[in-house]
């Protein structure tokens, strides 16, 4: 088995510097493989390449585009059984989701891994995440698990394999990674993949494999809060994304929201709402249409943000943006027996 490691920095590629801060290090990226070899037998051949090296909170379009180009070149080489991409935990979901939109039709498994602590810390899960990724790729001939995945072990849990477009935003103060409705793809137990019987995979055909993310998508994102103040809408804004309360609601009795929506309509800027599912609706949702609030299909807010970014990068704006955003992604409503 031949693997390619693509390094991008993050905690998994960092050390504590002389000033006491965690920072990326040119030498620490190989610590991952060295520590893996200390704990497990390396029974694969591997190559390494560094796409870039940053703390992932500093992620930008430049870095996602660099990774896309690196990954595309690696796939064209056609000599690997799998690819492992190291990444920081803060923005892991965003980069992995972008790669899923672009490369989920790849003929091999591509797995993102990260670490909650630097690898010299005994609490770090980086080696466990790598082990799960290696075993997932190793048994791919039997399972045909090609495309983009994330391997991650939560605290007091066993490693799980996720599809990026289902990953939720991190909870505050926690590094745990979860999929919406707990729809992880599978888990790795005793080096064996056990698929989640509630997850039904459908064909995910990337539409953006030749896309380059624009530098600034100019997406205004907000989380619903009681008595929130809405900002002035600048002329360069392309779309507005509002994350609703857990029941898919927003304070529609607010005069501030009404004025905000009127201004958005005047500027032909769509307002999208995430977190809405098919259920008996609350009275407060009756005016969504009047306020020109577009309810998105059930999906993670991260996947909707990345999808918006990709569409805007392809110069799809206004009404065309609404038409494309309201088409469910392939993993919508994948509950087998909820």
């Amino acid at each position: 088995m031949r693997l390619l490691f693509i390094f991008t920095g993050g905690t998994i590629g960092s050390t504590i510097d002389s000033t006491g801060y965690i920072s990326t290090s040119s030498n620490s990226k190989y610590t991952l493989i060295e520590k893996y070899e200390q704990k497990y037998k390396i029974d694969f051949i591997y190559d390494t390449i560094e796409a870039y090296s940053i703390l992932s909170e500093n992620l930008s379009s430049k870095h996602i585009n660099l990774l896309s180009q690196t990954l595309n070149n690696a796939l064209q080489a056609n000599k690997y059984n799998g690819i492992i991409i190291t990444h920081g935990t803060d923005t892991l979901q965003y980069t992995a989701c972008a790669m899923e939109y672009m490369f989920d039709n790849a003929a091999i498994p591509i797995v993102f891994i990260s670490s909650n602590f630097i690898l010299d810390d005994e609490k770090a899960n980086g080696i466990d995440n790598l082990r799960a990724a290696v075993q997932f790729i190793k048994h791919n001939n039997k399972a045909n698990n090609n495309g983009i995945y994330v391997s991650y072990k939560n605290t007091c849990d066993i490693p799980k394999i996720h599809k990026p477009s289902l990953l939720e935003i991190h909870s505050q103060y926690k590094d745990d990674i979860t999929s919406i409705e707990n729809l992880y793809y599978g888990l790795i137990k005793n080096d064996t993949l056990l698929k989640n019987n509630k997850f039904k995979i459908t064909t995910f055909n990337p539409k953006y494999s030749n896309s380059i993310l624009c530098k600034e998508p100019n997406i205004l994102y907000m989380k619903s809060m009681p008595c929130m103040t809405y900002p002035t809408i600048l002329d360069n804004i392309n779309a507005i994304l509002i994350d609703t309360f857990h029941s898919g609601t927003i304070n529609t009795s607010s005069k501030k929201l009404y004025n905000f929506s009127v201004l958005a309509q005047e500027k032909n800027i769509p307002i999208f709402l995430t977190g809405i599912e098919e259920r008996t609706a609350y009275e407060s949702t009756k005016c969504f249409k009047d306020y020109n609030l577009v309810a998105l299909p059930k999906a993670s807010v991260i996947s909707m943000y990345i999808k918006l970014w990709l569409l805007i990068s392809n110069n799809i704006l206004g009404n065309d943006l609404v038409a494309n955003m309201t088409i469910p992604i392939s993993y919508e409503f994948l509950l087998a027996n909820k």
Side-chain angles (χ1 to χ4, degrees):
M1 182 172 71
R2 190 182 191 96
L3 303 179
L4 174 66
F5 285 79
I6 301 179
F7 300 117
T8 70
T11 302
I12 198 169
S14 295
T15 58
I16 298 178
D17 65 21
S18 58
T19 63
Y21 287 97
I22 294 174
S23 63
T24 57
S25 167
S26 58
N27 296 323
S28 60
K29 57 180 176 285
Y30 299 108
T31 303
L32 175 70
I33 299 174
E34 291 170 0
K35 286 188 174 294
Y36 182 90
E37 189 172 18
Q38 292 170 8
K39 188 172 182 179
Y40 302 103
K41 176 184 176 182
I42 290 186
D43 55 355
F44 53 83
I45 303 168
Y46 65 90
D47 297 324
T48 65
I49 189 171
E50 183 176 87
Y52 53 84
S53 182
I54 61 166
L55 294 174
S56 73
E57 58 266 33
N58 297 324
L59 183 75
S60 70
S61 59
K62 177 182 76 172
H63 304 108
I64 295 178
N65 291 335
L66 277 172
L67 180 58
S68 172
Q69 294 164 14
T70 303
L71 189 51
N72 187 57
N73 292 339
L75 290 170
Q76 288 185 356
N78 196 29
K79 62 179 182 180
Y80 300 108
N81 301 104
I83 296 174
I84 293 173
I85 302 173
T86 68
H87 200 283
T89 52
D90 278 347
T91 55
L92 169 69
Q93 301 99 312
Y94 297 85
T95 303
C97 187
M99 294 304 104
E100 183 178 18
Y101 277 118
M102 297 178 187
F103 295 104
D104 206 49
N105 58 356
I108 59 173
I110 301 162
V111 188
F112 280 79
I113 65 168
S114 60
S115 184
N116 54 352
F117 294 93
I118 62 170
L119 295 175
D120 287 331
D121 192 316
E122 63 181 14
K123 298 187 296 294
N125 62 9
I127 302 304
D128 293 326
N129 297 334
L130 174 55
R131 178 65 176 180
V134 168
Q135 295 305 309
F136 179 72
I137 295 170
K138 184 177 180 181
H139 296 98
N140 185 50
N141 289 336
K142 298 178 181 178
N144 192 30
N145 302 311
N146 297 325
I148 310 292
Y149 298 87
V150 171
S151 168
Y152 198 81
K153 177 183 180 293
N154 289 342
T155 304
C156 301
D157 200 357
I158 60 176
K160 289 187 173 69
I161 305 297
H162 302 268
K163 292 302 293 185
S165 55
L166 291 175
L167 289 176
E168 298 181 310
I169 293 175
H170 286 294
S171 297
Q172 283 185 301
Y173 312 113
K174 281 190 154 186
D175 59 74
D176 287 357
I177 285 179
T178 56
S179 293
I180 59 171
E181 302 283 1
N182 205 28
L183 288 176
Y184 59 90
Y185 182 74
L187 52 85
I188 302 294
K189 187 173 183 180
N190 298 324
D191 288 341
T192 301
L193 171 67
L194 302 177
K195 287 189 176 181
N196 181 1
N197 60 14
K198 289 187 176 181
F199 184 94
K200 284 188 175 180
I201 193 165
T202 59
T203 302
F204 188 90
N205 295 314
K207 297 181 179 179
Y208 313 104
S209 33
N210 296 318
S211 289
I212 298 295
L213 286 181
C214 61
K215 184 177 180 180
E216 299 290 346
N218 294 322
I219 300 167
L220 177 58
Y221 168 77
M222 290 173 285
K223 174 66 180 173
S224 296
M225 299 284 180
C227 299
M228 65 189 287
T229 296
Y230 291 85
T232 300
I233 304 174
L234 301 177
D235 290 336
N236 66 339
I237 295 297
N238 290 313
I240 298 166
L241 186 62
I242 301 178
D243 197 6
T244 63
F245 294 115
H246 84 91
S247 56
T249 59
I250 188 172
N251 181 5
T252 52
S253 68
S254 168
K255 187 69 174 177
K256 295 176 183 177
L257 174 62
Y258 173 75
N259 293 335
F260 184 75
S261 68
V262 168
L263 182 58
Q265 289 182 63
E266 291 174 353
K267 293 177 176 287
N268 194 30
I269 300 171
I271 301 177
F272 298 104
L273 303 180
T274 67
I276 297 170
E277 59 181 318
E278 290 185 350
R279 56 180 292 173
T280 302
Y282 288 88
E283 182 185 24
S284 57
T285 67
K286 285 166 59 175
C287 60
F288 278 3
K289 188 173 182 180
D290 294 335
Y291 282 26
N292 204 33
L293 305 177
V294 181
L296 291 175
K298 187 177 182 181
S300 75
V301 64
I302 291 174
S303 69
M304 293 296 94
Y305 182 86
I306 293 296
K307 187 176 181 181
L308 269 174
W309 196 349
L310 283 162
L311 289 168
I312 291 167
S313 299
N314 283 272
N315 203 34
I316 298 173
L317 304 168
N319 292 333
D320 290 337
L321 190 59
V322 173
N324 279 273
M325 285 300 295
T326 50
I327 298 172
I329 62 172
S330 299
Y331 298 124
E332 295 298 347
F333 302 108
L334 296 177
L335 297 173
N337 296 294
K338 184 177 178 182

